[in-house]
Amino acid sequence: MKIETKCVQSGYTPKDGEPRVLPIYQSTTYKYESTQTMGDLFDLKKDGFFYTRLANPTADAVEKKIADLEGGVGAMLTSAGQAATLISIMNICKAGDHLISASTIYGGTLNLLSVTLKKFGIDVTFVDPETSPEELQKLIRPETKLVFGETLANPALKVLDIEKFASLAHNNGIPLIIDNTFPTPVLCRPIEYGADIVVHSTSKYMDGHAVSLGGVIIDSGNFDWAASGKFPEMTEPDESYHGVVYTKNFGKAAFITKARAQLMRDLGSSPAPMNCFLLNLGLETLHLRMERHSSNALKVAEYLENNDKIDWVSYPGLKSSPDYELAKKYLPGGCSGVIAFGPKGGREASVKFMDSLKLANIVCHVADARTGVLHPASSTHRQLTDKQLIDCGVKPELIRMSVGIENADDIIADIDQALTNI
């Protein structure tokens, strides 16, 4: 099936007389008639549901749909995008390990990697995504376990050269983890370019309506954990599951099975069934919304680029963008709906402009149906130093505009009237 059809049809196939729409299985508990069956479930010998912290029928159907959309062998939903990122890293890292990350990533993720992981004993080296392969290779250590980046950086809107970072990872026997939140699999499928693990904050475009938090991890099934020789947690017996060996017992799905059996079991970052249901409703229209978000954003970006009150605009769909060629390669169907720009007059002008908007709202969110704006330097990236802000592409005057699916002319008219006040 084409991806548009997968958005609607994948994951849940009702049988004769069953509900046509995916039901909400609002239960923590599942009944079995045999002690042996329950034992087999706990030993990972059988598939099934025994506690919603680990798996739930509503979540399971949505996981299957997202895995199909991204082209992976399996997926696991989490309570939030941050949980998805954390679990994807902790699944293969321990105290004393190291990872390399692009510096142009979401401020919350930057804090997770640089502060919280440091407390866990995991070291992180942040790199400019435009660093040459030769310089990147010099940063690899014996204890380096993964490379991390965002397809489309939030809020710098830098397009990651996925193939370059995949080559770096694979040449050193480690996986590449990509956050694909902004493009979604409708606009880019990083696995096709060499990514091994993909994560999302499903709270954004996938949900689309700003009604349910969530995250997801997708396992490509392509990374050979045994051949790498660097991941004993995948290739040696797990004593907490009676000696199961994930690569031996679960093959291509070793990573996602371990993430669920170990990390979700111990951390409990599971999504609510209702949120999974709402996420599925969003996914059914994802292909339509991403097309509108992208076309609207390009119109708005072109308007801003030609307005003499705007100092600069960052949107990879613009021909003037330094990332235009990368966007054509990795995002040929559109660059999503997020734009970064700075009005003339610095931070003060940015605040005056935002306070003057009428249709667009100031919100600490991004990537839903409604147009919204945010000043990252004083909100999502507030905890960063001035140097960290510059390193991750956030200027003091930067406004992040999430262009919605309203009529583009109305969005531009709102921007135009707000600009008259600066």
Side-chain angles (χ1 to χ4, degrees):
M1 295 187 293
K2 305 296 184 185
I3 196 161
E4 296 86 351
T5 308
K6 290 179 179 181
C7 284
V8 180
Q9 296 285 350
S10 283
Y12 172 66
T13 305
K15 298 176 182 176
D16 192 37
E18 292 185 342
R20 178 62 189 90
V21 176
L22 174 66
I24 306 166
Y25 288 88
Q26 193 64 46
S27 179
T28 62
T29 312
Y30 307 87
K31 176 242 183 183
Y32 290 94
E33 297 180 355
S34 162
T35 305
Q36 182 62 48
T37 300
M38 183 66 80
D40 288 344
L41 288 167
F42 270 88
D43 282 348
L44 306 181
K45 293 178 180 178
K46 281 189 176 183
D47 290 330
F49 307 99
F50 54 91
Y51 198 56
T52 285
R53 171 155 49 88
L54 286 171
N56 168 278
T58 306
D60 180 68
V62 182
E63 288 165 349
K64 286 181 168 64
K65 174 177 284 190
I66 295 174
D68 197 17
L69 291 173
E70 282 285 12
V73 297
M76 184 179 76
L77 290 170
T78 62
S79 55
Q82 287 290 79
T85 300
L86 175 63
I87 289 174
S88 69
I89 293 171
M90 297 302 294
N91 201 35
I92 52 176
C93 285
K94 62 184 183 305
D97 285 339
H98 169 253
L99 65 94
I100 292 173
S101 172
S103 59
T104 50
I105 57 174
Y106 166 57
T109 307
L110 191 76
N111 202 68
L112 169 66
L113 270 55
S114 62
V115 178
T116 302
L117 285 189
K118 187 175 182 179
K119 293 177 181 177
F120 292 166
I122 298 170
D123 194 20
V124 182
T125 299
F126 292 100
V127 299
D128 184 328
E130 296 181 6
T131 302
S132 70
E134 294 76 20
E135 291 301 311
L136 288 172
Q137 180 59 43
K138 294 177 182 178
L139 302 174
I140 295 288
R141 309 174 190 172
E143 64 271 21
T144 305
K145 292 296 179 71
L146 65 95
V147 179
F148 180 87
E150 294 179 359
T151 310
L152 191 53
N154 174 17
L157 279 305
K158 296 291 296 180
V159 180
L160 190 75
D161 189 343
I162 301 173
E163 290 184 342
K164 179 176 79 173
F165 279 82
S167 294
L168 171 71
H170 298 159
N171 289 342
N172 291 279
I174 56 177
L176 172 64
I177 300 179
I178 290 290
D179 184 328
N180 197 39
T181 296
F182 274 6
T184 81
V186 171
L187 299 180
C188 181
R189 289 174 292 282
I191 291 170
E192 296 176 3
Y193 298 101
D196 301 291
I197 308 298
V198 176
V199 297
H200 289 264
S201 168
T202 62
S203 320
K204 310 305 187 295
Y205 286 123
M206 282 189 168
D207 167 75
H209 303 96
V211 295
S212 60
L213 284 175
V216 68
I217 305 168
I218 304 99
D219 182 359
S220 73
N222 294 333
F223 190 81
D224 194 332
W225 304 99
S228 168
K230 295 185 176 184
F231 301 94
E233 54 275 326
M234 294 288 181
T235 59
E236 295 180 6
D238 178 359
E239 297 307 324
S240 70
Y241 270 112
H242 307 294
V244 68
V245 177
Y246 292 102
T247 50
K248 178 180 177 181
N249 292 72
F250 302 101
K252 287 182 174 294
F255 180 92
I256 204 67
T257 303
K258 180 179 178 295
R260 188 184 302 277
Q262 268 193 2
L263 277 297
M264 186 60 81
R265 174 196 66 187
D266 294 346
L267 299 179
S269 304
S270 48
M274 173 61 85
N275 281 3
C276 299
F277 172 81
L278 293 171
L279 170 58
N280 188 60
L281 292 183
L283 289 170
E284 289 178 349
T285 60
L286 181 63
H287 55 296
L288 299 172
R289 290 184 288 104
M290 293 312 296
E291 181 179 337
R292 174 59 70 89
H293 281 297
S294 297
S295 63
N296 275 1
L298 182 57
K299 291 176 183 177
V300 171
E302 289 172 342
Y303 164 81
L304 290 169
E305 188 175 43
N306 293 308
N307 191 294
D308 59 9
K309 290 193 175 184
I310 301 299
D311 190 22
W312 57 271
V313 182
S314 178
Y315 186 69
L318 291 172
K319 292 181 180 179
S320 59
S321 169
D323 287 353
Y324 182 67
E325 292 302 319
L326 281 176
K328 285 202 302 182
K329 176 179 179 177
Y330 294 115
L331 301 160
C335 295
S336 86
V338 184
I339 300 170
F341 64 95
K344 294 176 182 177
R347 183 189 289 240
E348 183 179 340
S350 296
V351 171
K352 182 66 174 175
F353 166 78
M354 290 172 58
D355 290 347
S356 301
L357 290 166
K358 297 178 180 179
L359 181 149
N361 296 145
I362 299 172
V363 292
C364 187
H365 194 249
V366 66
D368 64 64
R370 305 159 198 84
T371 297
V373 291
L374 187 73
H375 184 238
S378 60
S379 54
T380 55
H381 291 60
R382 192 182 188 94
Q383 75 277 15
L384 304 184
T385 65
D386 288 346
K387 183 180 185 305
Q388 286 176 319
L389 284 170
I390 297 300
D391 287 345
C392 65
V394 179
K395 296 180 180 179
E397 74 275 13
L398 185 149
I399 294 170
R400 184 185 71 184
M401 173 167 277
S402 178
V403 180
I405 59 174
E406 305 94 344
N407 186 287
D409 291 340
D410 290 334
I411 300 170
I412 290 171
D414 187 37
I415 295 170
D416 189 66
Q417 66 84 23
L419 286 174
T420 63
N421 289 326
I422 64 171

